[in-house]
């Protein structure tokens, strides 16, 4: 790397920005890494508004491998991210994920299962009897069974974001409050960023980790990204009937999903085709009452009596080409790196993404080849298939 390019600016300090800063400064403590975050409270960041689920159950080999690495990292996150003896507690609860299928979906499920098993993942096919025995509140009528991953689970996403931030800072990264309003360029090279305050930060590399705002940030450098901010809602209910054991993240063929939250509430989400595009964070009680609750109570009849405790809305950064990560250097603009378009599965991808970007920028060998997510496929309109998107 030339001296000039050793200054790296990361736009966005959510989980992707933090993980990237951590791996960069871990690989080369002499780098000057600046993370610019417009809202250090993370009120609207997807990372802190997510369902915080981590799963091995994907269909694409690379997405499975990314999660395998996440499992490794999250298991040792506390000690690895400790700063001056202070260990983050991410409360990783491996309470399982259960993907349910009807007869039409069963063949596909068996194919993904085969891929997952060939990579050494712990996932099994459960028939309806086994599912009902484990989770007696479920109504399996019309379903062929499901794939159960006992190692999948959920965690405290805010603690992960804060863990990366604290450790990256300790390793020398600077976190700055500010809004990037322009990616600066010189010809076909990136040259830094300009903030809303007017301050300019020169850099040889800029990483776009702006989540749902990624397309807006990229556009300032003349780069068009197919990344839409799509509103997704989560509801929390207190049910009259309490399940005897924690319910795994359970995903119905319709896409409705729910799980037990720490403390015994049930969290529910459902990505629907009419979810609006835009920066709207209002959650909609009527949507729960009219659509989500009836569908949930059909599958778990005991949940027909429940108190709606709260809800929230966050944004998926949806890659409209194929729903998968856009990861790597943008063709035609040297030094402009992207970690975008993670839709509903970015939290679990942050460790592998941060490590991959650091290797790419520093010219190191890759521990895991993620070149399949190269942004070139965007310009060539070449989607890659992943059927395990929620
Ligand atoms: C409801 C919901 C449920 C989800 N469930 C899961 C799940 O169970 N498992 C999973 O793995 N993933 C899940 N996700 C997806 C996951 O949350 C995201 O993919 C991931 O958090 C993306 O991280 P990020 O750092 O790219 O984005 P963010 O966390 O949004 O961070 C981007 C940051 O960039 C900042 N920013 C934007 N523009 C600028 C600018 N111009 N200047 C400075 N800063 C800027 C923002 O303030 C923000 O903090 C879910 C998302 C939602 C909304």
């Amino acid at each position: 790397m030339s001296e000039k390019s050793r200054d790296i600016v990361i736009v966005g300090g959510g989980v992707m920005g933090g993980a990237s800063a951590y791996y960069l400064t871990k690989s080369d403590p002499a780098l000057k890494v600046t993370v610019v975050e417009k809202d250090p409270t993370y009120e609207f960041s997807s990372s802190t508004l997510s369902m915080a689920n981590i799963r091995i159950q994907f269909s694409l080999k690379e997405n499975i491998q990314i999660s395998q690495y996440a499992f490794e990292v999250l298991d040792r996150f506390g000690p690895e991210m400790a700063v001056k003896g202070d260990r983050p507690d991410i409360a990783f609860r491996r309470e399982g994920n259960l993907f349910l299928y009807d007869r039409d979906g069963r063949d596909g499920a068996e194919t993904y299962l085969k891929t997952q098993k060939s990579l050494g993942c712990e996932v099994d096919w459960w028939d309806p009897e086994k599912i009902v025995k484990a989770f007696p509140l479920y109504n399996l009528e019309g379903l062929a069974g499901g794939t159960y991953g006992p190692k999948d689970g959920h965690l405290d996403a805010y603690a992960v974001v804060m863990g990366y931030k604290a450790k990256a800072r300790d390793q020398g990264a600077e976190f700055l409050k500010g809004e990037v309003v322009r990616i600066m360029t010189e010809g076909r090279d990136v040259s830094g960023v300009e903030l809303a305050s007017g301050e300019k930060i020169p850099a040889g590399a800029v990483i776009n980790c702006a989540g749902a705002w990624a397309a807006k940030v990229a556009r300032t450098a003349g780069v068009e990204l197919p990344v839409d901010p799509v509103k997704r809602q989560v509801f929390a209910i207190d049910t009259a009937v309490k399940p005897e054991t924690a319910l795994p993240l359970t995903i119905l063929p319709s896409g409705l999903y729910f799980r037990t939250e720490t403390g015994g509430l049930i969290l529910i989400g459902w990505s629907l085709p009419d979810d609006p595009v835009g920066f709207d964070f209002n959650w909609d009680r009527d949507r729960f009452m009219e659509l989500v609750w009836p569908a949930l109570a059909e599958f778990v009849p005991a949940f027909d009596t429940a108190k709606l405790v709260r809800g929230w809305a966050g944004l998926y950064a949806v890659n409209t080409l194929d729903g998968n990560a856009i990861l790597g250097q943008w063709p035609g603009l040297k030094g402009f790196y992207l970690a975008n378009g993670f839709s509903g599965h970015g939290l679990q991808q942050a460790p592998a993404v941060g490590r991959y970007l650091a290797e790419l920028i520093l010219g190191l060998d890759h521990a895991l080849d993620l070149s399949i997510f190269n942004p070139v496929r965007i310009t060539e309109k070449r989607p890659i298939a992943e059927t395990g998107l929620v």
Side-chain angles (χ1 to χ4, degrees):
M1 272 183 117
S2 72
E3 264 321 298
K4 181 190 160 211
S5 65
R6 293 184 64 78
D7 290 359
I8 299 169
V9 170
I10 299 175
V11 186
V15 75
M16 291 300 169
S20 303
Y22 164 71
Y23 281 99
L24 279 163
T25 49
K26 183 181 176 201
S27 303
D28 184 348
L31 285 175
K32 185 170 184 294
V33 176
T34 308
V35 182
V36 185
E37 168 55 57
K38 66 185 164 99
D39 174 19
T41 71
Y42 298 97
E43 184 181 358
F44 299 113
S45 309
S46 303
S47 300
T48 54
L49 295 171
S50 93
M51 283 283 277
N53 185 60
I54 313 294
R55 63 182 155 104
I56 209 79
Q57 297 192 60
F58 287 92
S59 66
L60 187 71
K61 183 185 81 182
E62 287 78 3
N63 280 335
I64 297 168
Q65 291 172 318
I66 284 174
S67 289
Q68 285 180 308
Y69 181 58
F71 279 2
E72 254 178 61
V73 167
L74 295 169
D75 276 342
R76 54 166 202 259
F77 199 81
E80 191 166 320
M81 296 298 145
V83 175
K84 298 180 184 59
D86 218 357
R87 290 181 171 200
D89 177 6
I90 60 168
F92 188 17
R93 288 188 158 77
R94 291 178 174 248
E95 292 175 347
N97 273 198
L98 175 65
F99 276 70
L100 294 166
Y101 295 93
D102 52 25
R103 221 162 286 130
D104 291 347
R106 180 169 181 158
D107 286 352
E110 280 176 357
T111 311
Y112 325 140
L113 196 59
K114 227 178 259 169
T115 312
Q116 290 155 11
K117 280 191 174 293
S118 74
L119 293 167
C121 303
E122 216 176 304
V123 188
D124 283 307
W125 176 261
W126 281 19
D127 57 28
E129 293 70 36
K130 185 162 181 177
I131 295 171
V132 171
K133 199 162 170 219
F135 308 112
L137 297 182
Y138 289 2
N139 165 21
L140 267 287
E141 204 184 315
L143 295 176
T147 51
Y148 183 70
K151 293 283 172 72
D152 297 344
H154 58 92
L155 42 68
D156 179 343
Y158 183 73
V160 173
V161 174
M162 290 298 111
Y164 274 133
K165 182 172 178 176
K167 191 68 182 179
R169 267 176 142 159
D170 189 54
Q171 292 174 166
E174 186 187 355
F175 281 68
L176 208 70
K177 181 180 183 304
E179 180 175 0
V180 171
V181 290
R182 187 164 69 93
I183 308 285
M184 302 187 306
T185 56
E186 279 171 20
R188 289 162 68 87
D189 287 0
V190 145
S191 59
V193 299
E194 183 179 346
L195 308 188
S197 62
E199 185 187 349
K200 292 189 172 122
I201 309 175
V206 172
I207 313 178
N208 185 352
C209 290
W213 295 265
K216 198 175 158 207
V217 168
R219 200 165 297 127
T220 68
V223 172
E224 284 301 321
L225 290 183
V227 176
D228 279 351
V230 179
K231 176 157 95 169
R232 302 293 195 207
Q233 301 186 50
V234 179
F235 307 96
I237 58 171
D238 188 7
T239 56
V241 174
K242 308 282 181 215
E244 280 178 15
T245 56
L247 300 178
L249 185 82
T250 305
I251 303 102
L252 305 187
S254 64
L256 179 92
Y257 57 89
F258 61 93
R259 69 163 167 83
T260 298
E261 173 62 314
T262 314
L265 296 180
I266 302 291
L267 291 186
I268 314 143
W270 197 357
S271 301
L272 290 162
D274 65 343
D275 284 343
V277 174
F279 296 94
D280 171 11
F281 293 90
N282 295 306
W283 67 283
D284 180 0
R285 192 176 188 280
D286 291 347
R287 194 168 183 93
F288 174 76
M289 300 302 282
E290 288 159 18
L291 199 68
V292 176
W293 196 10
L296 176 70
E298 198 181 320
F299 181 69
V300 194
F303 288 175
D304 70 345
T305 307
K307 185 166 78 178
L308 177 59
V309 178
R310 64 193 164 98
W312 71 86
L315 301 173
Y316 274 20
V318 173
N319 169 359
T320 57
L321 179 71
D322 60 20
N324 281 297
I326 305 172
L327 182 59
Q329 189 169 218
W330 182 254
L333 188 53
K334 193 158 168 259
F336 189 41
Y337 293 87
L338 307 173
N340 301 128
F342 296 97
S343 305
H345 54 279
L347 188 66
Q348 60 215 298
Q349 302 210 318
V353 165
R355 182 177 66 174
Y356 183 80
L357 280 174
E359 293 162 346
L360 193 65
I361 293 171
L362 299 174
L364 307 172
D365 289 342
H366 289 297
L368 180 61
D369 180 8
L370 298 180
S371 56
I372 190 171
F373 301 113
N374 192 307
V376 170
R377 83 178 190 288
I378 302 297
T379 56
E380 294 174 352
K381 299 205 169 19
R382 211 171 12 85
I384 48 179
E386 166 59 68
T387 50
L389 302 178
V390 179

